[in-house]
Amino acid sequence: MSTRSRNDLVGAKGRVQNALNNWRESVACVTDRWNDATSTKFLRDHFSDTEPQLQRILLALQEAADLVR
């Protein structure tokens, strides 16, 4: 594969990393404003797998970029 393919993968990884950072900031902001048992249950029930999924995507993109190199 070409250098362009690797650059595309690295660029995608950067965008996913930015999304993960934004996600963490957003969760922190919501938690600061809405911090009770209901919010904890809501975040756990609906969003507990979001950060791990984004991290797995980052790892997969890195592995793909390494393979292309």
Side-chain angles (χ1 to χ4, degrees):
M1 288 196 167
S2 68
T3 302
R4 180 176 176 177
S5 297
R6 180 166 168 27
N7 289 341
D8 289 345
L9 290 167
V10 170
K13 182 183 171 211
R15 289 188 295 279
V16 173
Q17 183 64 57
N18 287 339
L20 178 58
N21 293 340
N22 290 340
W23 170 255
R24 288 173 175 158
E25 289 175 17
S26 296
V27 168
C29 182
V30 168
T31 303
D32 285 345
R33 295 174 188 205
W34 184 34
N35 192 7
D36 59 11
T38 303
S39 70
T40 302
K41 182 179 181 336
F42 180 81
L43 288 172
R44 184 184 63 241
D45 291 350
H46 298 285
F47 298 110
S48 63
D49 61 340
T50 302
E51 186 166 336
Q53 286 182 2
L54 289 170
Q55 290 174 338
R56 283 192 297 274
I57 292 168
L58 286 171
L59 287 173
L61 288 168
Q62 184 60 53
E63 288 175 7
D66 290 346
L67 287 172
V68 171
R69 185 174 23 128

